[in-house]
Amino acid sequence: MIELLLLLILIAAIVIGYLIYKQRSSSQKQDTPPPPPQDPFAASSTTDTAGDPRNIKAGDMIDWGNERTWIRGTLRLSEGGYVWSEHFLEVEGGKRWLSVEEDPDVELALWTGRPDLTMVPQGKTIELEGVTYKLEEKGSGSYRSEGTTGLKAEGGMDYADYESEDGKLLAFERFDHGSWEVSTGEKIHAGTFTIFPGS
């Protein structure tokens, strides 16, 4: 009889303990407000699921929507305290890259190498294929190479950047006092592509 009474007291204590636990956990849940509703159609930022272009590196995959390509190599460029990057894309029969600058907003451009051009950056304006480009900036700096870039691990570089009135880009670069390389480009938005980080 005493054993039965002890068993009933033990069961009652377990039930009471369980009820107290449930009441406390439900009151704690009520103290935490639910997350505010999110607009599923809001404009995306550079840190959303498309990836942050400031973190691109060799080995990452870029999805342009209708094509995918890999980042074969990256140049980390610097002049004074200013730093920017150029990411070389895996393409057939040419040379293309994506430049990423923060000045102070993130600025992106897609470039195509133009080995058919033997121009040098002289003058405040340059005429190319019926378009007039105006000198925006020029200077000298240093580079650090990652992955496959065709350059040494580190060295020096010179550059001159031109832009047309309608936003077309023309750039000149030379590395380690070599010959000038000419490229044409266009500005793009972060939402134009999706970044899939490599291992």
Side-chain angles (χ1 to χ4, degrees), residues 103-139:
D103 188 27
D105 298 326
V106 175
E107 297 176 5
L108 308 172
L110 187 60
W111 299 90
T112 301
R114 296 291 303 270
D116 56 311
L117 301 175
T118 57
M119 309 164 66
V120 294
Q122 292 179 336
K124 300 278 188 194
T125 61
I126 291 180
E127 182 97 15
L128 174 63
E129 297 170 344
V131 178
T132 301
Y133 295 87
K134 182 181 174 184
L135 179 65
E136 291 292 312
E137 61 181 323
K138 64 178 181 176

Side-chain angles (χ1 to χ4, degrees), residues 35 66 78-79 81 84 91 106 113 119 128 145 151 162 166 169 176 179-180 182 184:
N66 57 358
S78 63
E79 179 185 14
W84 69 102
V91 293
V106 175
M119 309 164 66
L128 174 63
S145 178
L151 296 172
Y162 291 76
D166 60 354
L169 305 173
D176 303 314
S179 56
W180 286 104
V182 186
T184 52

Side-chain angles (χ1 to χ4, degrees), residues 38-61:
Q38 301 292 322
D39 179 1
F41 302 105
S44 62
S45 69
T46 58
T47 56
D48 63 8
T49 54
D52 188 339
R54 294 169 295 187
N55 296 331
I56 295 175
K57 64 188 181 312
D60 290 351
M61 185 178 74

Side-chain angles (χ1 to χ4, degrees), residues 142-156:
S142 61
Y143 71 83
R144 186 170 44 85
S145 178
E146 303 168 1
T148 303
T149 64
L151 296 172
K152 300 185 304 185
E154 56 185 44

